[in-house]
Amino acid sequence: MREADAKLNGARTAVTAAKEAHTQALTRRKKLELDVEQWKVRSKKYREQSSSVKTNEAYKALQHEIATAEAEASKAEDLVLEQMMTVEEVERRVKHVEADLREAEQAIAAEKKQMQVQYGEKKKKMEAATAEREVIAKKVPEELLTLYTRVDKRHPGWAMAEARDEQCRACGMRVLPHVLQMLKTETDEEVFRCEMCGRILYTLEPIPHAAPKETANGAANS
Ligand SMILES: [Zn+2]
């Protein structure tokens, strides 16, 4: 669940960054608009002054100032237009990353729902298995159950190992032939453990039964 939430962080960061860029772009547009305003005010002021100058030189100087102010105003206007396009571009980006985030949120919500369903199913299975285990454990002699629990702590979920081909199939340690022989003996109640890993050994090889009645008329062992 935490991993799923973490997946959203990237999308959220992208939205925050885009919004921040948008704010900055707006601030810059505002500043450029003010520049235009200031150059226009200045040029207007020079025009007003030019009607009252006395000398030709002063008039020329003012005309020069007016031209400069107008050129600067025009330059600033171009920058405002450029900046307006930048603002639009950033606005598109904000919309884009916001859509991405919504999409990711929906996907994650679906993923989480799926996880909850799986969790519920697994929990049910675990409860059923635990109940089943309790029933089985009741039939196991207490001493053996204690041993099993101890070995299970060392090898969780794998306390028992098959002895086959003269080996512990869990760790590969050799199992002595006489131990194998004992495991295959129906009447033997002794518990053998692997000398290396300590797991409780068992065998799946057929244990020869004391001849039952069926063998006599050939119904079994066919
Ligand atoms: Zn072993």
Side-chain angles (χ1 to χ4, degrees):
M1 287 285 204
R2 265 200 301 277
E3 271 173 34
D5 279 330
K7 282 186 199 164
L8 286 179
N9 288 345
R12 286 202 182 106
T13 307
V15 169
T16 309
K19 280 184 174 170
E20 178 69 19
H22 185 234
T23 308
Q24 280 173 4
L26 285 177
T27 306
R28 170 134 177 87
R29 191 185 72 186
K30 189 128 223 154
K31 190 203 163 282
L32 291 167
E33 280 168 350
L34 273 173
D35 284 351
V36 172
E37 203 54 44
Q38 280 171 353
W39 283 115
K40 280 187 172 168
V41 165
R42 211 173 287 182
S43 115
K44 194 176 168 223
K45 192 182 77 190
Y46 293 143
R47 274 181 198 287
E48 280 162 6
Q49 283 174 5
S50 67
S51 58
S52 57
V53 287
K54 306 280 186 290
T55 68
N56 205 26
E57 263 159 35
Y59 181 78
K60 263 189 185 166
L62 266 177
Q63 287 302 307
H64 179 73
E65 289 299 333
I66 290 165
T68 304
E70 279 178 351
E72 288 296 333
S74 171
K75 247 195 262 176
E77 268 173 346
D78 287 347
L79 288 177
V80 168
L81 282 177
E82 255 176 49
Q83 190 57 26
M84 279 165 89
M85 288 199 297
T86 303
V87 168
E88 276 173 24
E89 205 181 291
V90 177
E91 270 169 1
R92 278 197 296 274
R93 200 163 75 222
V94 169
K95 275 182 192 151
H96 186 81
V97 292
E98 277 178 342
D100 281 352
L101 175 61
R102 274 197 299 276
E103 208 176 286
E105 277 171 345
Q106 277 167 7
I108 295 301
E111 207 177 302
K112 277 184 165 183
K113 208 170 177 183
Q114 182 62 26
M115 273 190 254
Q116 263 155 359
V117 170
Q118 281 176 357
Y119 175 76
E121 281 168 5
K122 284 197 194 291
K123 200 175 163 220
K124 246 186 226 162
K125 270 189 196 167
M126 195 189 77
E127 281 163 2
T130 305
E132 198 184 341
R133 186 192 192 277
E134 265 170 44
V135 172
I136 296 167
K138 271 186 196 141
K139 297 177 192 165
V140 178
E142 206 183 315
E143 215 181 77
L144 190 52
L145 196 61
T146 308
L147 173 66
Y148 177 90
T149 309
R150 211 170 65 221
V151 178
D152 187 63
K153 248 181 209 143
R154 199 168 136 200
H155 306 287
W158 198 10
M160 294 178 72
E162 189 189 353
R164 184 157 43 89
D165 304 330
E166 296 188 7
Q167 268 188 344
C168 162
R169 301 309 290 179
C171 73
M173 180 66 183
R174 187 164 178 259
V175 176
L176 293 171
H178 91 269
V179 171
L180 270 176
Q181 202 48 52
M182 294 291 265
L183 286 173
K184 280 187 237 172
T185 308
E186 188 189 19
T187 51
D188 185 67
E189 296 281 325
E190 200 177 337
V191 174
F192 291 98
R193 294 171 64 193
C194 172
E195 285 173 26
M196 180 69 87
C197 66
R199 287 185 177 90
I200 301 161
L201 294 171
Y202 65 91
T203 179
L204 289 178
E205 283 173 47
I207 293 171
H209 289 267
K213 274 184 271 168
E214 286 88 341
T215 319
N217 52 42
N221 297 342
S222 53

